[in-house]
């Protein structure tokens, strides 16, 4: 079997990582003198890395993060918004997921809460954890739709089994009785078993009012706030900080006018 046929066979067997490594080894001068066992080691490592990357991409797609480009490596620590760099870098190690803890991120609109939540979700996917992202309004609407379609139990099990649940933009609308009940069931089922990230423009102390029922509020917040890591941001809108003013290109008519003015009479 020649090298091309072997490479095609590897791809037919869905060993794309090995196929790519084999192609590179064949192309390298002097590689044929390498111990065959070393070839197999290199190809096997390449296949392992390729499969790991495919699993990561699959988890990332399933997470449905609002910002798929968010990454802990690209977090802005220079803008003054009360983001504790050492503390956030520690969260990026994802030990809080192993501890089944919560991360509660609060702050004004545009300060970067969703980006930080998605960056932690991205890193969790990288560390082979399952992640689900919802904006709170869609979270409740999907639960309601599932109940009407008689698929609530399936969605409920999917949510409670997920390693990291991200609920973005808690409040300010008051919860209905059905929403309180759904949230309580999910929070209770995940408590001490799975990890959660919540973002909100409201400080944690105001979440009690959003739940709008003292009994449910005590039960829900006791489970979410207990052993939680809090990030209270305050600063300028990151959208304004990151915006770059692009000079407008002059119109064609403006260019012609300037050329006429510059031409000698």
């Amino acid at each position: 079997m020649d090298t091309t046929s072997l490479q095609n066979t590897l791809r037919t067997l869905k060993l794309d990582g090995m196929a790519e490594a084999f192609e590179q080894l064949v192309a390298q001068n002097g590689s044929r003198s390498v111990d065959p066992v070393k070839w197999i080691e290199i190809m096997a490592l390449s296949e392992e890395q390729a499969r790991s990357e495919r699993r990561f991409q699959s988890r990332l797609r399933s997470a449905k993060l609002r910002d798929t480009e968010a990454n802990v490596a690209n977090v802005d620590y220079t803008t003054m918004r009360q983001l504790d760099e050492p503390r956030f870098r520690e969260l990026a190690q994802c030990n809080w997921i192993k501890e089944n803890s919560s991360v509660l991120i609060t702050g004004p609109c545009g300060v970067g809460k969703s980006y930080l939540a998605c960056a932690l979700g991205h890193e969790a996917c990288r560390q082979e954890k399952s992640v689900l992202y919802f904006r709170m309004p869609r979270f409740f609407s999907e639960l309601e739709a599932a109940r009407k379609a008689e698929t609530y139990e399936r969605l409920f099990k999917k949510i409670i089994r997920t390693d990291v649940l991200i609920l973005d933009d808690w409040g300010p609308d008051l919860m209905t009785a059905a929403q309180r009940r759904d949230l309580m069931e999910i929070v209770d089922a995940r408590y001490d078993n799975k990890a959660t990230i919540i973002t909100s423009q409201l400080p944690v102390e105001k979440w009690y009012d959003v739940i709008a029922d003292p009994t449910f509020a005590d039960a829900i917040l006791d489970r979410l706030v207990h052993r939680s890591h809090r990030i209270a941001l305050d600063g300028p809108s990151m959208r304004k900080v990151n915006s770059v003013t692009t000079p407008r290109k002059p119109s064609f008519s403006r260019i012609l006018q300037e050329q006429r003015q510059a031409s000698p009479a």
Side-chain angles (χ1 to χ4, degrees):
M1 181 181 293
D2 58 26
T3 56
T4 301
S5 298
L6 179 54
Q7 186 175 347
N8 291 336
T9 299
L10 290 171
R11 293 195 181 279
T12 300
L13 294 172
K14 300 187 182 302
L15 298 173
D16 295 328
M18 296 189 74
E20 291 177 9
F22 177 72
E23 182 181 4
Q24 293 172 7
L25 285 168
V26 169
Q28 292 176 4
N29 292 328
S31 61
R32 293 184 182 275
S33 61
V34 176
D35 183 354
V37 174
K38 188 66 177 179
W39 273 54
I40 296 174
E41 179 185 348
I42 294 171
M43 292 167 63
L45 179 60
S46 176
E47 180 62 27
E48 181 184 19
Q49 292 173 341
R51 292 190 179 195
S52 177
E53 180 64 21
R54 287 198 296 270
R55 289 194 300 269
F56 163 67
Q57 292 298 334
S58 177
R59 287 190 295 272
L60 199 59
R61 288 191 298 271
S62 298
K64 298 181 180 179
L65 297 176
R66 176 179 179 177
D67 189 343
T68 57
E69 300 300 320
N71 194 310
V72 293
N74 298 327
V75 170
D76 180 359
Y77 297 106
T78 59
T79 302
M80 300 300 292
R81 51 176 173 160
Q82 297 185 15
L83 177 60
D84 188 324
E85 181 176 353
R87 188 179 183 190
F88 190 80
R89 289 191 182 279
E90 183 178 350
L91 289 175
Q93 300 300 314
C94 293
N95 291 323
W96 59 277
I97 300 176
K98 301 173 185 176
E99 298 166 355
N100 303 317
S101 300
S102 299
V103 176
L104 313 180
I105 308 175
T106 59
C109 179
V111 79
K113 302 180 297 296
S114 297
Y115 184 93
L116 295 180
C118 289
L120 290 175
H122 183 279
E123 185 61 24
C125 289
R126 178 65 72 183
Q127 297 194 23
E128 300 188 351
K129 304 296 183 181
S130 58
V131 178
L132 270 181
Y133 169 94
F134 293 95
R135 288 192 69 254
M136 285 294 281
R138 184 168 67 86
F139 176 68
F140 287 130
S141 65
E142 288 200 18
L143 289 170
E144 181 182 3
R147 181 171 279 108
K148 291 179 180 178
E150 299 183 353
T151 58
Y152 179 85
E153 284 301 317
R154 184 169 61 190
L155 178 58
F156 178 80
K157 289 179 181 179
K158 178 181 179 181
I159 291 172
I160 66 173
R161 289 172 180 171
T162 298
D163 293 321
V164 180
L165 174 64
I166 302 176
L167 298 178
D168 194 8
D169 203 14
W170 173 298
D173 295 335
L174 301 184
M175 294 182 190
T176 65
Q179 290 171 346
R180 286 192 293 269
R181 184 178 62 251
D182 287 343
L183 183 61
M184 179 63 214
E185 289 181 358
I186 289 170
V187 169
D188 184 59
R190 292 177 57 82
Y191 176 65
D192 217 20
N193 292 302
K194 300 295 181 181
T196 305
I197 301 175
I198 297 180
T199 76
S200 177
Q201 294 186 41
L202 303 174
V204 175
E205 294 72 23
K206 295 290 185 181
W207 293 7
Y208 191 96
D209 299 331
V210 172
I211 298 173
D213 181 289
T215 303
F216 276 93
D218 286 339
I220 292 171
L221 293 181
D222 179 64
R223 289 161 173 77
L224 287 176
V225 177
H226 180 57
R227 292 190 325 196
S228 67
H229 302 269
R230 298 198 198 184
I231 300 175
L233 303 175
D234 189 15
S237 169
M238 297 301 292
R239 298 184 185 94
K240 295 180 180 179
V241 171
N242 294 330
S243 64
V244 178
T245 303
T246 304
R248 293 181 61 184
K249 294 182 179 180
S251 64
F252 182 65
S253 59
R254 178 65 181 273
I255 294 175
L256 288 178
Q257 182 180 358
E258 292 177 351
Q259 288 178 344
R260 293 194 192 99
Q261 293 174 347
S263 299

